[in-house]
Amino acid sequence: HRLRLIRDMQIMGMLSLISCVLCVALIFIGHIIAAQWVFGLSVLLLAGSLFLSVYEIILSTKALDIQLS
């Protein structure tokens, strides 16, 4: 379960960065409206990745507490 969380977190983070690059390219060629939509998608992907990261940290600390007790 935790490995899937980490994988999904990393995929969302990479897709966010790729979306940022696409956003810059769209701005460069003058497609501002499309760039705004892609940037919005990038922010959502990054937020999702960060949410999964926090959730995985919570699970990891619970597992570590169990292991140490």
Side-chain angles (χ1 to χ4, degrees):
H1 179 70
R2 285 178 47 209
L3 288 178
R4 190 169 26 127
L5 279 175
I6 293 169
R7 181 202 64 200
D8 292 347
M9 174 189 64
Q10 290 176 341
I11 289 171
M12 290 179 84
M14 288 185 298
L15 289 174
S16 175
L17 288 173
I18 291 168
S19 296
C20 282
V21 171
L22 179 59
C23 177
V24 171
L26 288 168
I27 291 170
F28 183 73
I29 61 174
H31 294 289
I32 302 303
I33 301 298
Q36 290 173 339
W37 282 100
V38 171
F39 181 74
L41 174 66
S42 177
V43 169
L44 290 175
L45 286 168
L46 183 58
S49 177
L50 292 172
F51 173 76
L52 290 178
S53 177
V54 169
Y55 184 59
E56 200 283 322
I57 289 169
I58 291 168
L59 291 178
S60 294
T61 54
K62 285 181 182 179
L64 189 57
D65 285 341
I66 291 170
Q67 185 70 26
L68 293 176
S69 63

